[in-house]
Amino acid sequence: MSDEPVSDGPVPETDKPKTKQFRRRFDGVRLPVDAAARQGKAATLAWERFRENAAVIAYLNTHDEALGGRPIDLAVASEEGLKAVKQHLDAKGA
């Protein structure tokens, strides 16, 4: 008996691989590169301060009266907002 696989006929070849067969297309709004960089910087600063996922997420997503908004929103909106978040985190660490 042979070790060759049994085939009923030739296997059809396709022109394109089906690598994205089940992926959904992203149609949402993407952040501009500079805003995404500020978002990442704010998350990194919060992580360096708290070192715990739940605390970082809570800090970034909770409205803060001293800042006048959510830290993540302020950081994404402008460089000044990111500076305010950094100063606020520095004050919390002192």
Side-chain angles (χ1 to χ4, degrees), residues 4-13:
E4 294 179 26
V6 178
S7 175
D8 291 336
V11 177
E13 292 189 30

Side-chain angles (χ1 to χ4, degrees), residues 5 16-17 19-20 27 34 43 46-47 51 58-60 62 76 82:
K16 295 181 352 181
T19 59
K20 295 185 179 184
D27 291 330
D34 58 334
W47 174 254
R51 293 284 182 190
Y59 173 75
L60 292 173
T62 303
V76 168
L82 177 60

